Amino acid sequence: MSAGLRPAAAVRRPGRGPARQRPWLRLVLALVLVALLMFPMYWMLRVSVASTAELSQTPVPLWPLSWDLANYLDPWSQYPFARWLTNSVVVAVVSVALTVALNLAAGYAFAKLRFPGRDLLFLLIISTLMVPVQVIMIPQFQVVITLGLLDDPMGVVLPRLAEAFGLFLARQFFLAIPDELLDAARVDGAGHIRAFWSVALPLSGPLVAVLVIFTFMWRWNEFVWPLIVLTTPDSYTLPVGLQYLVQQFGSDYGPLLAMSTLSILPMLLVFAVFQRFFVEGVARSGLR
């Protein structure tokens, strides 16, 4: 073999790239990245089981010297944490049920029905995504007062039902469903509602999973709007209640992070249940 052919052959030869030669390097880099990303979560768990004396050491040990569960038990017994948890579950579950149903029906209508001004109306709805939420809080608050829903969980739920982002996801998903399927249902005598219920909805599992995860996450973590509407401690949701605990505990971070740890468990549970549909739903909705 001539000397001039050696570089080209070396370039074409499979398995000679730096990544292929050192797969352990990719593994190490992946582990380092995972450790960096998960460290805040680990530190929250670590501080939540530490005593006040242990946290006063400088520097604070990376691994707990002892496991103190008083941070989990004391705030639970001293403050209405169970009540706040129940309020958050009610707000999140009702919001998810109503918002997902509304987005599915509206998305199907904008994707498969023909009516005057459909595209213009959809454009106007999508344009609301560019309006900051803070701009519409005052008129929403006036509506809540008029309806007598101040300090009521429904005052938190109702103004947030219409989500333009969820409507956009639903429309994009239903556009991918062939019209021939719906036409076949209509030939068999089904109307729009029956075609939506019997044909389109059974195909919407990934879309429903995406809407459930996003809606639950938004409503579960929402802080400003519940802080405005809910005025008494017994009606607080978890984020507002945690802010109330910050005022009570000050710099005693153990109980605060213990309650924060408990507050994210429902969110992780919802994601674990629906995550296997999540990627497929986002991809089929056009968010690549």
Side-chain angles (χ1 to χ4, degrees):
M1 181 180 296
S2 66
L5 295 178
R6 287 175 184 171
V11 169
R12 291 193 298 268
R13 190 176 299 170
R16 292 293 186 182
R20 291 179 180 274
Q21 291 175 350
R22 296 189 291 272
W24 58 268
L25 180 58
R26 290 184 296 171
L27 177 62
V28 171
L29 291 176
L31 292 176
V32 170
L33 288 175
V34 169
L36 290 175
L37 292 174
M38 294 302 296
F39 184 78
M41 182 72 70
Y42 164 74
W43 194 248
M44 181 173 67
L45 294 172
R46 185 259 174 276
V47 174
S48 70
V49 296
S51 62
T52 304
E54 189 176 351
L55 292 178
S56 63
Q57 300 180 19
T58 305
V60 177
L62 282 176
W63 186 255
L65 302 178
S66 62
W67 295 78
D68 188 0
L69 298 182
N71 293 332
Y72 285 88
L73 301 178
D74 292 345
W76 189 280
S77 59
Q78 297 171 2
Y79 297 94
F81 191 83
R83 178 70 177 176
W84 299 340
L85 178 64
T86 303
N87 293 338
S88 282
V89 170
V90 170
V91 168
V93 171
V94 174
S95 296
V96 166
L98 297 179
T99 302
V100 171
L102 189 62
N103 285 333
L104 289 174
Y108 178 83
F110 278 108
K112 297 301 181 183
L113 302 186
R114 302 289 182 268
F115 52 88
R118 182 190 65 169
D119 294 338
L120 177 60
L121 181 59
F122 179 72
L123 182 62
L124 290 175
I125 294 175
I126 294 303
S127 65
T128 61
L129 289 171
M130 293 180 287
V131 179
V133 177
Q134 292 80 4
V135 174
I136 60 176
M137 278 187 174
I138 293 178
Q140 284 183 339
F141 187 63
Q142 291 292 340
V143 172
V144 168
I145 293 177
T146 303
L147 295 177
L149 297 177
L150 191 63
D151 200 27
D152 189 301
M154 292 308 295
V156 180
V157 172
L158 291 180
R160 291 289 195 266
L161 288 184
E163 288 284 355
F165 182 72
L167 171 60
F168 172 76
L169 283 180
R171 177 182 179 271
Q172 296 302 106
F173 185 91
F174 286 124
L175 283 176
I177 295 180
D179 291 337
E180 290 76 8
L181 285 176
L182 303 176
D183 293 338
R186 295 191 186 96
V187 169
D188 292 338
H192 287 302
I193 296 178
R194 181 64 181 274
F196 167 72
W197 184 262
S198 301
V199 179
L201 198 56
L203 301 174
S204 307
L207 172 64
V208 172
V210 172
L211 293 177
V212 167
I213 290 175
F214 277 132
T215 307
F216 190 90
M217 179 180 64
W218 291 332
R219 297 292 85 82
W220 187 263
N221 295 327
E222 193 170 32
F223 172 72
V224 176
W225 181 245
L227 179 65
I228 295 174
V229 175
L230 305 175
T231 57
T232 58
D234 281 343
S235 61
Y236 285 171
T237 56
L238 268 179
V240 182
L242 289 176
Q243 178 60 30
Y244 180 77
L245 290 183
V246 170
Q247 300 172 2
Q248 304 301 315
F249 286 99
S251 59
D252 191 2
Y253 297 110
L256 293 176
L257 293 185
M259 296 299 100
S260 299
T261 302
L262 294 178
S263 70
I264 66 173
L265 294 181
M267 185 68 248
L268 296 178
L269 177 63
V270 170
F271 186 78
V273 172
F274 292 98
Q275 60 87 24
R276 66 191 182 99
F277 300 108
F278 181 73
V279 175
E280 180 184 356
V282 171
R284 292 180 61 180
S285 300
L287 292 181
R288 293 174 184 272

